[in-house]
Amino acid sequence: MKKISFIFILFSFFIFILSCGKQETPVEPKIDKSPHPFLTKWGTMGNDYDEFLYPSGITVDYDNYIYVVDSKNHKIKKFTSDGNFVTEIGGYGTGDCEFDTPYGIAIKDDFMFITDSYNHRIQKIKLDGTFIKTWGGHGGGIIDELYYPKGIAIDSNNFIYVVNEDSVIKKFDFDGNYIKEWGSEGSADGQLKKPEGIAIDREDNIYVVDTYNHRIQKFDSEGNFISKFGSLGVDNSEFYYPVSIALDTNNNIYILESNNNRIQKFTSYFEFIYKWGKIGLNNGEFIYPTGIAIDKNNDIFITDTYNHRVQKFGR
């Protein structure tokens, strides 16, 4: 009896030792480890004040208000950075503060400049909605005419650069007076093919999204070619119909691709850093996105065009 008890005690001790040596692997909490986590979204398909119909361009003012070009509702809508509606201007037409499929928007000082694409013109409007002037037009053979203008950007000297669908970049002063232009259709350096987006860095270098050539081209402020980057593809540093571009406060470059439904982030030397996005309806997914803007906190706003909404991502 004592022998059986001893064996039982020895066996129990052995099991205890084994159980002490076996430790369960802790379950990691599900944390979004993305450097740019999803924060919020707003909008749905429609024509009400907080709805969109194929939103395109987007920008941020000095007070961190968000301006969205609601392209097929022919309006510009203003929101807080959390997506609360503030006000809107526009409506379909050819009059002052009316639009026909507007596309891009840029803000400088107390003015917004809108590419009124199907009216082939730029409208300059105060942030309070007061109309200032318009310029452009198409069909008269005049040098300052525009052809389905897309992206628009303003440099530190208040010169305005407008991307035209006919592969020409036009430069104007702050009052809309024509300065110069460059570009022609093709795939050589300095040539473009249906470009869309444009952005400007701290040194006033111009970045043009050469959409149908699936690349980015960099120019100085006089239109002289500096460099190019990218080619057709789905891998890192490749593009599939890139449409817009933005820079953060650290001069990192963000490129939005329509057909890859993603954003790629690069250093100012176009060294790949990170990418996110895929096609879909969920948070962080897109269907043919068009516009990108970055606020002073480096939060990122995307017009998710065919989902008829805006998505916001953290710094």
Side-chain angles (χ1 to χ4, degrees), residues 104-106 113-115 122 150-154 160-163 198:
I105 183 169
F113 299 80
I114 297 125
T115 54
I122 306 298
K150 299 288 190 179
I152 184 168
I154 306 170
I160 300 167
Y161 302 81
V162 180
V163 178
I198 188 169

Side-chain angles (χ1 to χ4, degrees), residues 62 107-111 113 124 135 153-161 171-177 179 200 204:
Y62 302 101
I107 288 177
K108 190 70 178 288
D109 299 332
D110 292 324
F111 303 95
F113 299 80
K124 180 179 181 179
W135 72 87
I154 306 170
D155 71 14
S156 64
N157 296 307
N158 282 349
F159 289 112
I160 300 167
Y161 302 81
K171 180 178 180 179
F172 301 89
D173 69 17
F174 207 64
D175 292 318
N177 298 304
I179 303 295
I200 301 174
D204 284 338

Side-chain angles (χ1 to χ4, degrees), residues 1 24 66 137:
M1 189 70 178
E24 291 187 4
I66 312 302

Side-chain angles (χ1 to χ4, degrees), residues 240-272:
Y240 190 22
Y241 293 108
V243 285
S244 57
I245 184 170
L247 286 81
D248 66 18
T249 59
N250 299 311
N251 239 25
N252 294 312
I253 299 168
Y254 299 74
I255 298 168
L256 181 64
E257 300 171 73
S258 176
N259 285 40
N260 275 334
N261 295 286
R262 67 182 182 182
I263 301 102
Q264 292 195 64
K265 179 180 179 180
F266 301 88
T267 69
S268 58
Y269 299 101
F270 280 109
E271 298 164 329
F272 176 81

Side-chain angles (χ1 to χ4, degrees), residues 103-224:
Y103 185 92
I105 183 169
I107 288 177
K108 190 70 178 288
D109 299 332
D110 292 324
F111 303 95
M112 55 180 150
F113 299 80
I114 297 125
T115 54
D116 188 4
S117 190
Y118 280 49
N119 281 328
H120 307 284
R121 64 183 182 178
I122 306 298
Q123 291 202 56
K124 180 179 181 179
I125 301 169
K126 291 192 71 172
L127 294 185
D128 65 7
T130 303
F131 174 80
I132 301 299
K133 70 179 302 182
T134 185
W135 72 87
H138 178 66
I142 303 172
I143 197 167
D144 61 353
E145 287 186 339
L146 301 167
Y147 183 74
Y148 296 105
K150 299 288 190 179
I152 184 168
I154 306 170
D155 71 14
S156 64
N157 296 307
N158 282 349
F159 289 112
I160 300 167
Y161 302 81
V162 180
V163 178
N164 288 269
E165 193 175 276
D166 60 358
S167 304
V168 174
I169 311 299
K170 294 202 173 186
K171 180 178 180 179
F172 301 89
D173 69 17
F174 207 64
D175 292 318
N177 298 304
Y178 174 86
I179 303 295
K180 69 179 303 178
E181 65 185 63
W182 72 88
S184 60
E185 185 165 338
S187 56
D189 294 350
Q191 292 187 315
L192 306 161
K193 191 171 183 181
K194 292 188 176 180
E196 295 198 18
I198 188 169
I200 301 174
D201 68 16
R202 298 170 187 165
E203 289 75 39
D204 284 338
N205 294 308
I206 315 298
Y207 298 82
V208 177
V209 182
D210 191 3
T211 302
Y212 277 66
N213 280 325
H214 311 282
R215 66 185 181 182
I216 308 300
Q217 293 201 62
K218 181 178 179 180
F219 302 89
D220 67 19
S221 60
E222 294 302 312
N224 298 305

